[in-house]
Amino acid sequence: MTQSCPACGTDVVPFTELSESVRDRLEADPERQRQSVPHRREKHTVCPACEFEIHGCGQPYAIPESVIG
């Protein structure tokens, strides 16, 4: 089953399937460090278009400012 991003409708992908440059940037973002990188790699999905990050349980984790404003 494919899950769509609630912000832009793009299909989300597992965190580990992001390009290395995007994944490295998101892992280093202090606004997204409430959970460990290993946890995020194992459990989270991310929209490759707008970078909306979602917990494994389906709850929003990191909502980009471009989506909020």
Side-chain angles (χ1 to χ4, degrees):
M1 181 177 89
T2 303
Q3 182 182 6
S4 296
C5 174
C8 72
T10 301
D11 288 346
V12 298
V13 298
F15 194 86
T16 55
E17 289 185 18
L18 290 171
S19 68
E20 186 175 342
S21 62
V22 173
R23 190 176 61 244
D24 288 348
R25 182 172 47 77
L26 295 182
E27 289 174 351
D29 183 342
E31 297 294 318
R32 293 177 180 242
Q33 293 181 354
R34 295 183 311 274
Q35 293 185 331
S36 71
V37 168
H39 170 85
R40 291 166 66 200
R41 286 183 177 182
E42 181 181 339
K43 303 283 186 180
H44 290 201
T45 55
V46 181
C47 175
C50 73
E51 299 176 356
F52 192 110
E53 192 170 337
I54 302 168
H55 281 285
C57 67
Q59 295 298 313
Y61 174 72
I63 305 169
E65 286 190 27
S66 61
V67 172
I68 297 170

